[in-house]
Amino acid sequence: MRSIILLALVGCATTPAPTAAPAAGGDLQAVMTARGLTDTDVLAAAKTYTPTGKLDEYVIFASGGQMGGLIAIGVPSMRILKYIAVFEPEPWQGYGYGGLSDKVLAGGDQGGKEITWGDVHHPNLSETDGNYDGQYIFVNDKANARIAVVDLADFQTKQIIANPLIMSDHGGSFVTPNTDYVVESSQYATPLGGTYAPLSEYNDKYRGAAMFWKFDRAAGRIDASKSWAVELPPYMQDLADAGKGPSDGYVFIGSWNTERASGSGGEGKPFLESGASQNDMDYLHIIDWKKGEKLIADGKFTVINGVKVISLADAAKEHVLTLVGEPKSPHGADVTPDGKAIVVGGKLDTHTTIFEFSKIKEEIEKGEFASKDAYGVDVLDFQKSLRGQKEIGLGPLHTVFGDKGDAYTSVFLDSTVVKWNYNDLNVPSESLSVNYNIGHITAAEGDTMSPDGHYVVAMNKMAQDRFQPVGPLLPQNFQLIDISGATMQLLYDLPIPLGEPHYAQMIKADKLKPIPAYIPSGTNPYTGQKDPGAVASGEERIERHGNKVDVYMSEIRSHITPDFIDVNQGDEVTLHITSLEQAYDQTHGFTIDMYNVNLSMEPGKYDEITFTADRAGVFPYYCTEFCSALHLEMEGYMLVKPKGS
Ligand code: RUQ
Ligand code: CUA
């Protein structure tokens, strides 16, 4: 036992050794002394150290922020398992370099513009009956109002869908308890449908929207034709969450800027941040999406840029939209596991505010409203809608949940995680310092109807003295916290070196059932079927029709067939490539020098590249993964005969 702990220390400690002598030898006490470790450090190491060959209990899917994709991380080891390319071309996965995945990326073009990055904020795992089912994960791109669908069978992005109504999103991507809908609401108000209106017309022409993307689980895709939206007032809608259990059928979206500030606008008005912070209260939006679905079915919508939209007037009249006050400039709107309450953080406040859903519902049903907003939307009485408020510390943001009525709120300005009880607000809270400026927080299955407890991860924006300095741009810091004991214990720091991950979700690892290979051989990952262009061994060939050349190729250790291709300069070439491998982990790659094409050919995969052979010369093509002893020999030539020769 002692020696296991010892190995742990050598493997995962983050504190530099105080002496020049390396920690060596087999005596635990000597190593602790040499490395300046306390008993608490050793306990933390023993809780996270995962010997080689052992698997993690949970997997985190974290947003990759500006990187545009997702990061899969094992818990408790905090080992990074994979980057998943979503909105950005990514060479290792051969994503966006000439193959079939180019079409997925092109699905995210906005207004005819190709966009090659994303500002990823909120990954959401698919749910069945309010619990993660391990099948899909959805993410939003705040900067370009897009949603992506990632299939967890092969960890590949299968669809990017561009929202034609709004210019940015933030309340996304949140799923309803059976993943009927993926919800995406706007952040910055703009004229809907990408049209123009001057800032002086902000109140009348600028709007928000909540999009309800219909998810077709059998197809594994969002079905745009069955999707619809609700027009919202030009308050900046923020985080959202879907109701569950008693609150199933509702979506809750926080907002800031009920002042409808739009910046100075050349008229000497205040800048946005002060203009938007005048009122004491903003509005939590309560959307009855089942009612919205009915209005759409009854034809009560207008079409804006191809999207069926319930107008703000209709949404107000039919109570598809109702508002309730929430403390100034809130952030985070999180439904409790039992679906009975909604927790809202106030960025400029010291409390979390807990709304009681049954009270909200009763007030709406009885028509007991306190006022109307400027657009005729009914506003509920704040006090009457509350379970209560809990003093937490300065700048509470997001809240996740454990399995015993325990809630964990990230407190940005104080840099703490605060544990409290959402059933009994009188239970004293407990606070743990984190490093530093925590944004989101995630808990094991913490966003479902049955959280697991065990672990919380603090997702900190700053890490100034936690890691070796690497210039002015620092990694962010994920801190693993053990919540299974009487008090919280900080276990491990993981630097995140390629973006600002906003949110993450943590799923029980055994719920994930990824495929080891594409079966049958020649499967197109985007149709799930054997592709008509796939070949079996012996069927490889080159077909020429005028200036179109189709090459039916295969890859298997250690051969690319055919191993030469003769074409004429200007020919349109399509390579149909099949990996004939079926052995787990036997991945090949494929590239042609100088042509900017690059694929990852996992076992059994079919992929396809079309390009114009516009540069004459001799171009080696080869496998880019060291797949076998004769990997270097896995090569061929494309000979492009110059025009007129
Ligand atoms: S955000 S740090 Cu989710 Cu985009 Cu709160
Ligand atoms: Cu196949 Cu290297």
Side-chain angles (χ1 to χ4, degrees), residues 588 623 625 627 631 634:
H588 300 285
C623 166
E625 288 268 340
C627 53
H631 148 77
M634 211 170 156

Side-chain angles (χ1 to χ4, degrees), residues 4 7 48-55 77 79:
I4 290 176
L7 280 169
T48 56
Y49 175 67
T50 307
T52 183
K54 286 232 166 131
L55 304 186
S77 74
R79 296 180 293 197

Side-chain angles (χ1 to χ4, degrees), residues 82 150-158 514-515 518 525-526 602:
K82 194 171 195 175
V150 177
D151 188 341
L152 293 176
D154 60 358
F155 282 51
Q156 297 268 330
T157 302
K158 296 295 165 80
I515 55 168
Y518 292 101
Y526 302 102
E602 297 98 89

Side-chain angles (χ1 to χ4, degrees), residues 555-560 581 586-589 622-628 630-632 634:
E555 288 193 291
I556 190 162
R557 277 160 290 166
S558 307
H559 204 71
I560 303 177
E581 301 285 356
Q586 275 302 332
T587 293
H588 300 285
Y622 69 96
C623 166
T624 53
E625 288 268 340
F626 202 105
C627 53
S628 56
L630 296 178
H631 148 77
L632 295 174
M634 211 170 156

Side-chain angles (χ1 to χ4, degrees), residues 18-30:
T19 67
D27 183 77
L28 176 58
Q29 204 55 54

Side-chain angles (χ1 to χ4, degrees), residues 54-279:
K54 286 232 166 131
L55 304 186
D56 279 301
E57 197 185 343
Y58 289 94
V59 175
I60 291 177
F61 289 94
S63 138
Q66 301 90 334
M67 179 260 267
L70 286 167
I71 314 166
I73 303 164
V75 171
S77 74
M78 300 304 274
R79 296 180 293 197
I80 291 179
L81 303 171
K82 194 171 195 175
Y83 298 119
I84 305 167
V86 181
F87 296 109
E88 79 294 12
E90 199 285 314
W92 170 54
Q93 292 156 86
Y95 184 73
Y97 290 91
L100 292 168
S101 57
D102 285 18
K103 291 197 190 107
V104 176
L105 280 161
D109 291 0
Q110 276 284 29
K113 262 204 184 6
E114 185 189 4
I115 297 167
T116 57
W117 79 294
D119 184 15
V120 173
H121 280 237
H122 308 110
N124 249 239
L125 289 152
S126 58
E127 293 180 14
T128 300
D129 297 330
N131 287 305
Y132 302 150
D133 53 41
Q135 291 185 359
Y136 296 94
I137 188 159
F138 308 92
V139 287
N140 72 313
D141 166 16
K142 168 170 163 166
N144 308 292
R146 303 180 298 169
I147 294 283
V149 181
V150 177
D151 188 341
L152 293 176
D154 60 358
F155 282 51
Q156 297 268 330
T157 302
K158 296 295 165 80
Q159 183 183 27
I160 298 177
I161 193 151
N163 193 319
L165 282 184
I166 55 181
M167 306 306 278
S168 62
D169 66 31
H170 200 220
S173 46
F174 296 96
V175 301
T176 53
N178 278 303
T179 323
D180 298 306
Y181 286 104
V182 181
V183 185
E184 178 198 27
S185 53
S186 53
Q187 173 100 90
Y188 304 118
T190 52
L192 293 186
T195 53
Y196 173 82
L199 285 170
S200 56
E201 294 175 13
Y202 185 89
N203 291 354
D204 298 330
K205 299 273 176 68
Y206 286 51
R207 290 290 180 266
M211 187 81 198
F212 288 78
W213 291 110
K214 181 80 188 161
F215 185 60
D216 178 344
R217 196 187 282 260
R221 302 289 187 277
I222 285 169
D223 183 347
S225 73
K226 296 199 174 104
S227 304
W228 48 274
V230 185
E231 180 185 2
L232 300 176
Y235 315 138
M236 305 300 195
Q237 283 78 27
D238 201 32
L239 268 295
D241 202 0
K244 46 190 146 202
S247 54
D248 186 12
Y250 291 80
V251 160
F252 308 94
I253 311 175
S255 71
W256 46 274
N257 196 22
T258 44
E259 298 82 354
R260 293 179 288 168
S262 58
S264 63
E267 296 168 15
K269 290 188 287 187
F271 288 130
L272 198 64
E273 79 276 20
S274 50
S277 308
Q278 307 290 313
N279 297 348

Side-chain angles (χ1 to χ4, degrees), residues 45 51 76 81 150 160 195 301 313 319 328 346 348 355 373 420 529 533-534 537 550 620:
L81 303 171
V150 177
I160 298 177
T195 53
F301 57 80
H319 291 107
K328 193 182 184 115
L348 304 176
F355 292 95
D373 82 342
W420 53 285
Q529 307 286 318
S537 176
D550 284 284

